[in-house]
Amino acid sequence: MKYQIALTMKEIMLKNGRNTVWYGDLELIEECAELSGVKIQHPKKTIKYILDNLDRSPCFTKGYIIADIDGSKRRYRCFKLK
């Protein structure tokens, strides 16, 4: 199932003309979870589960988006199609 999640996300991204996905792309992540049959109740857990699977996939490369919120820097994982 884990490899299926990455392939599902890849298809969704290509369908939407996207080459990157990150923590804030809730529509893409929720669509991927639904199509993959992921049943996690809290949205943050669903996002983490999907992104963790992309992290292990050979279809994606990982990078980071750095945001400065009220003087503190936060890093968000960002995945790009290979």
Side-chain angles (χ1 to χ4, degrees):
M1 179 170 151
K2 294 180 191 253
Y3 190 63
Q4 176 191 5
I5 291 171
L7 292 178
T8 302
M9 180 59 82
K10 182 177 178 180
E11 290 175 12
I12 292 168
M13 290 171 65
L14 292 174
K15 178 180 74 171
N16 291 308
R18 302 280 305 269
N19 64 351
T20 59
V21 63
W22 73 289
Y23 186 88
D25 288 323
L26 298 178
E27 296 88 18
L28 297 178
I29 293 170
E30 288 174 352
E31 183 179 353
C32 180
E34 184 179 324
L35 293 174
S36 300
V38 174
K39 303 264 192 252
I40 300 175
Q41 294 183 351
H42 197 278
K44 284 186 178 182
K45 289 184 180 181
T46 303
I47 294 167
K48 182 181 180 329
Y49 185 79
I50 297 294
L51 293 181
D52 286 348
N53 281 283
L54 298 183
D55 199 3
R56 297 181 200 109
S57 171
C59 299
F60 293 90
T61 57
K62 180 169 88 169
Y64 291 95
I65 294 174
I66 300 173
D68 187 358
I69 302 171
D70 295 332
S72 64
K73 291 186 179 183
R74 296 217 35 186
R75 293 184 343 161
Y76 296 101
R77 290 184 287 175
C78 180
F79 294 93
K80 184 176 181 179
L81 286 172
K82 283 188 179 178

